[in-house]
Amino acid sequence: MRKITAPKIDARRIAARRIAARKIAAPIAAVLFSCLSLAILPNSDARAADPQIGEPLKPGEILRGHFTQERSLQGFQASLKSEGTFVVAQGKGLIWTVEKPYPTTTVITPDGLVQEARGNETLRLPASRVPFLTRLYDMLSGTMTGDWNAMKTQFSVETAGTSDDWTLQLRPKSTGDANMPIAEMRIQGGRYVNDVDMHRPSGDRDHLQFHDQTVGSGPLSDTETKLFEGVAKK
Amino acid sequence: MRRILALIWLALLLALAGHLAWKYHGGLQFSTDILALLPREPETPLLEKANRAVTDAVSRRIVLLIGDPDRETARNAAADLGRALAAAGLVKLDADSLSGDRLKKLGALYFPYRHSLLSPRDRSLLLAGQGEEVATNALSQIYGFVGLTDARLIAQDPFLLLQSFLTQLPVPMSRLTFDDGMLTTSEKGVTWILLTGTLTAEPFALDVQQRLIGPLDKAIVAQRQQHADLQVKRLGAVFFAAAGSQVAMEETSTLGLVSTIGSILLLLLTFRRIAPLWQNLLVIGIGAGTALSVSLLLFDHLHVAVLLFGVSLIGIAVDYGMYYYSSLFDPDCCTPEQRLRSVLPGITLGYVTTLLGYAILILAPFPGLRQIAIFSLIGLSASFVTVLLWFPLIDRLPPARHGAGMLRAAGLLWRFWEQPERRLVRWILGACLCIAAVIGLLRIHADDDVRKLQSLSPDLLAQQAEIQRLIGSTTSTQFLLVHAADDETALQREEQLAPILDRLRGKSVLDGYQSPAAFVPSAARQRENRQLIETRLNQPYLAQQVQQLGLPAPKAAEDDDAVLTLDKARAEDTVPFLSSLVLQPGIHVVMLDGLRDTAALRAATQDLDGVRVIDPTGDYTTLLSKYRYRAVWLIVIAVLLMMPVLIWRYGWLGSILVKAPSVTAITLAAAAVGLAGEGFTFFHAMALILVQSIGVDFAVFCAESSRNRQSVTMLGVWLATLTTLLSFGVLAFSQVAAVHAFGLTMLVGLIFAFLLAPLAGNAKPRRGLTGTGNGRNPV
């Protein structure tokens, strides 16, 4: 017996959207990446556009930290929690390592995105296949050099607070774009980004918290270098 | 009597001219696809259909790639060019074929069947009993980096099987993706936008080429004026065809100028009269016009090459006119009536033998060749009748008095062959030619590669390679044809084929393939998948999985006998590329990417029932070689067919003497091709047929010539040779390989046919035809 019920229709629509997930993943990753690397040196002097927000990473600098991620998904009894570490290397990219409950490593560089789980590659998105990624990468590098214009092409940005405790509110400029995976995003930080709250058009919500961030200029480990290089391969 | 016949002929010609004018008014269209000329082997109609469907689809594709460092500029330019293409009304753009809407439809199509679909990787894990691996992979993705999975789908598909299936669909053009509604790729800071479409008209029709490319080029120039960095690359048979026509037209204007001016000067200087010039043009014009008019009555479509070769073959009629007008210099022929009588046996025999030579082409199983044969037979006959009926009536010229010097010069060649004191020189010359012939014939090799014959524009070839590299499309011209009684059987065959192709991919024989079964598995495979998912995934791991995710207890499996059918998937054209892979129920195409070794593919697939490797270019090349071979045999048959006529006229020995010059000429022409290091092609063979006919004409003129007319005859042969060289010999300088091949063979063959013609003078006609030349010395 088949009944077409409302949730099922929804599910179909979501299934359709799923296909675009590979593309959707990229912008979210890039936005997140830029947020992470955004605000690390809060006490700098007046910066014309957005004085509250710190300076970007300098070339060669590496930001490391821990994260907890909480995904609240529609229809799930509990939210999905995971935690792990991340590495942002200026000019190289981002390594996102989930340690619990299921270890995965996601690496994002200008060449694309690669995900590994237990030694097996589970996803690979070359940047050439996802120009979106490249475009948002432009945004990202713009942000890192203090140029907010690139970010502002996609989002309207509101800032509030002081340089020790600031908030960024991002809203997509075009509301009708089916490919825009973010409905609203709130970023809170001080010296570093502390908290990112992302609302998806589907009603899902991703809440990320960061702690124990450090900025160093030390070299990347061999594993990290290998991971970054692995994205360009193939 | 002649007057009445001439008037009837005039009336007939006027009627045919009227027909031609009417056709022309209705818009004459000639096909320019060189492949359309070639015959098809008696293949099964099925293969024919598959071949034609695929070739047709391929030849109508248009691809533009528009690149600019600035994304917006590239996008705007692409939109502008898209409008320019659409405005021409000849192209159906399919730029939105993969739009977001299409993706939604795709998801909606597959979603109800998610319990029957497995990606190759998940399927092999389940087959190997590693269901846990599938489950953990899904969990890793769900818990992993934000945004890579979507909530409500997880609830319906906790193992992410559908996502895995969708992301592993074999989609060609692997480097492209959708960026805000446009297929895009980027490289080195340049954003490239892809614009594709399908021609709604015949890509090889000249007017289609002009109507499409003119506005497109204009739009590109306009865009480039605003954006200096804008690049536009193009790909499509229509562009290649247009470039080919362009080269042909440019050549026609230069080579045509040389040949026209040369011929006019030659005739004016020789006769110092205008009449022989225009009357010869009249003969050729009537021949070509009649042939065209009648051919249009007989055939629906006339190929432009039929026109080209046909008019070339009719060009032999110039022999008759030249031979006739050389009689102006014969002091014994004072009236047009006498002139005609003196040349009549020669041109009649020449006409009959040529007729036989051309008629043999009808036997060749080439559609184009048959048309050429019929076209030229009609044209040649019309020219012959015109000479016969009209020349004595329109010729008002008195005998020419200025020809003494020319006659002496023309006679030199004949004397060279007769003077006893030149015997040694002749022997040495003969030996040299023999050696050259042997060396040349030993070095001769065939080359039937159809791609070389087409002389594709190198610039467009470079653009094609660049586009294919940028969009990552390496779709091969070769493909696999799967045929079975119905779709289900065909899909099952493709599923048997898949592991073989995967193994070949592992060996780098090919890069990938798209088969309908990858988009819609067979019903049997779908049931098997469902069984696998149920027993090896759901039963052992589902409860655990949903518990881990905190999902409500799974609903009981839906009624699940539903099977996704090919018809359903093809409806509304939801699945990209699928429709182009299914020709009709049970007849499918498997497209191949980056095929490197056709032989290996053939070997690996030959044992599979109902699976065939189709290699259109390779097949055409094979066909060209078969028919080149056949054309050479047709020449031999033509030579033999002419013999009875020649034996009747000249006796056994005489017939050999008359035949020898033309046979030697074609042998030496073929040897010259070998010496030049060129591959011998069908087009060389076609020229040999013409050389053979002209050679016989010259020889017959000489054989029919009385001793005191030798110089006059030779002058006619001289003039015929020079005009023919001017019209065909110059083709040797063409850029188009096929035309060059034709021209080179003509050049060499004609020179020897001319040089050796007087040898036939030793053959003496036994019986009179309608009237013999006067003053003939008895043998």
Side-chain angles (χ1 to χ4, degrees), chain A residues 97-115:
Chain A
T97 311
V98 179
E99 288 162 353
K100 282 183 213 170
Y102 296 97
T104 51
T105 307
T106 309
V107 188
I108 305 164
T109 76
D111 291 317
L113 181 154
V114 169
Q115 192 178 63

Side-chain angles (χ1 to χ4, degrees), chain A residues 14 18 25 71 77 129 131, chain B residues 139 148-149 152-153 163 177 550:
Chain A
I14 291 155
R18 260 311 301 124
R71 306 192 68 191
Q77 287 159 346
R129 280 193 74 168
Chain B
L139 287 175
L148 295 183
T149 47
R152 270 177 271 186
L153 185 74
Q163 172 186 343
T177 186

